[in-house]
Amino acid sequence: MEKLRGEVDRARIALEKSGAEQWEIMASKSKSVTVGVREGEVDKHQASESLGLAIRLVKDHRPGFSYIYGAENERDIISAVEQALASSRAADPEPALTFPETAPPEILLETYDPEVARDNVANMIRRAERLASAALSADKRVVHVHPAEVSSLVSRVFLCNSHGLELCDAATRVSAGAAAVASYDGEQEMGWESRSACFLEDIDERAIGIEAGQKAAAYLGAKPVQDGLYNVVFTRDVAAEFLDILADGLMGDNVAKGRSLLAGKIGHKLVSPLVTIVDDGLMPRGLGSAPFDDEGTAQSRTVLFEQGILRGYVYDRLWAGRTGTLSTGNAVRPSLKGPPGVGFTNLHIAPGGGDQNSLVEQMSNGLIISYILGAHTADPVTGEFSLGASGHLVQKGRIVRPVKSIAIAGQILDLFNKVEAVGADLRMFGRSGSPTVLVKDVSVSGP
């Protein structure tokens, strides 16, 4: 952290001499390790460390930005400040851009695990081996597992600005994932499972591996179903992908640009009353949780849909200023290579009651959809989608056979309006998550 602060102090001195009306420094230090095994041998070992900072400033009401990694001396820092000044001279005036003047409240969040920071490669190899072994043992038809990987990330950030704001935070992340291949009678199917968490104790490599192997074996013998309207149980990961499609319309910048199907509809009932959608920047152990966002505004819990009624959007300071509202603490910076933009912290559908089994029993006849392909092709403005899918056919509350080579099509608001039940089994997948969801009358077609 001392080197991090040293770079920040050098940049601060240069910025104070620059004549900028406002400025901000975001510094980050991280260390990541990934280990993978294949057929009992280590086939992947990647480790990296980074130290860098990003500079934003406003001069003559024009925004400027630059970034630098691995600064070797004071001259590198001065050069980065000069680049930010040069970019501001080429920019249009932006009177809505301001930086926070007050610090967010001090909140203790569980996002840093010392065990992850102390972890070593030998332990990671053992966990990767346990992951691969579990996938192979899940079903006798599983013949191959690759990749089987575990990874860790330790990151620290320091943020300060010209208003005297000084903030720091630290977080850890650990992940494990495996792809298993099952084979029978000349047919092969693959299953993938992964988990990510802040704490090492929340990752069970054996359970992840078994689920990957079971998924692969469960698809053997899959074939399409007849075209028609089906009641569908979407597994948690699939429901989260549909939430991501809807989420584009909840971003304040998209609303302001006319690229949201939700623009101008606050207060309207748009989806099923069973659907409540929340972005919670303070979720315990959430991967997107932090006391402050990537420009220093306090993160918070923002209700976006409440029992089917649209309640609001998410904003960073720029787009909040442009639209005459307040930041919701949703400035997100994917990396230091760009300024922050509007994003989500821990976006999820609020849990209801029951689990996947109870929703399947409630559905009685229909489909379980556990995989979709092409969610990125959905139109974020109209909400229209047509996606490849696979899963299982259900009759009288029981799984009959696996299904593949089908497509599901519709419109995202219509889909969420047809929600019949929401489970209690919320799981986060990175920064978005969902419980199991039951939807009626979904359009399904075969090849």
Side-chain angles (χ1 to χ4, degrees), residues 108 147 270 299 386 394 404:
L108 293 177
L270 302 176
Q299 292 194 173
S386 180
V394 174
K404 70 175 183 179

Coordinates of all heavy atoms in Angstrom, one line a residue, residues 108 147 270 299 386 394 404:
L108 N -18.6 -1.4 7.5 CA -17.8 -2.6 7.5 C -18.5 -3.7 6.6 O -19.5 -4.2 7.0 CB -17.5 -3.1 8.9 CG -16.7 -2.3 9.8 CD1 -16.6 -2.9 11.2 CD2 -15.3 -2.1 9.2
P147 N -11.5 -27.4 -19.0 CA -10.6 -27.1 -17.9 C -11.1 -27.4 -16.6 O -12.4 -27.5 -16.4 CB -10.4 -25.6 -18.1 CG -11.7 -25.1 -18.6 CD -12.2 -26.2 -19.5
L270 N -45.1 -3.1 -15.0 CA -44.6 -3.6 -16.3 C -44.4 -5.1 -16.3 O -44.3 -5.7 -17.3 CB -43.3 -2.9 -16.6 CG -43.3 -1.4 -16.7 CD1 -41.9 -0.8 -17.0 CD2 -44.3 -0.9 -17.8
Q299 N -22.2 3.5 -2.0 CA -23.0 2.5 -2.6 C -24.2 2.3 -1.7 O -24.2 2.5 -0.5 CB -22.3 1.2 -2.9 CG -21.2 1.4 -3.9 CD -20.7 0.0 -4.5 OE1 -19.9 0.0 -5.4 NE2 -21.0 -1.1 -3.9
S386 N -34.4 -14.2 -29.4 CA -34.5 -15.6 -29.9 C -33.2 -16.3 -29.6 O -32.2 -16.0 -30.2 CB -34.8 -15.6 -31.4 OG -35.0 -16.9 -31.9
V394 N -40.5 -32.1 -18.7 CA -41.2 -32.5 -17.5 C -42.6 -32.8 -17.7 O -43.3 -32.1 -18.4 CB -41.1 -31.3 -16.4 CG1 -41.9 -31.7 -15.2 CG2 -39.7 -31.0 -16.1
K404 N -32.6 -30.7 -26.3 CA -31.7 -29.8 -26.9 C -32.1 -29.4 -28.3 O -33.1 -29.9 -28.8 CB -30.2 -30.4 -26.9 CG -30.0 -31.5 -27.9 CD -28.6 -31.9 -27.9 CE -28.3 -33.1 -28.9 NZ -26.9 -33.5 -28.9

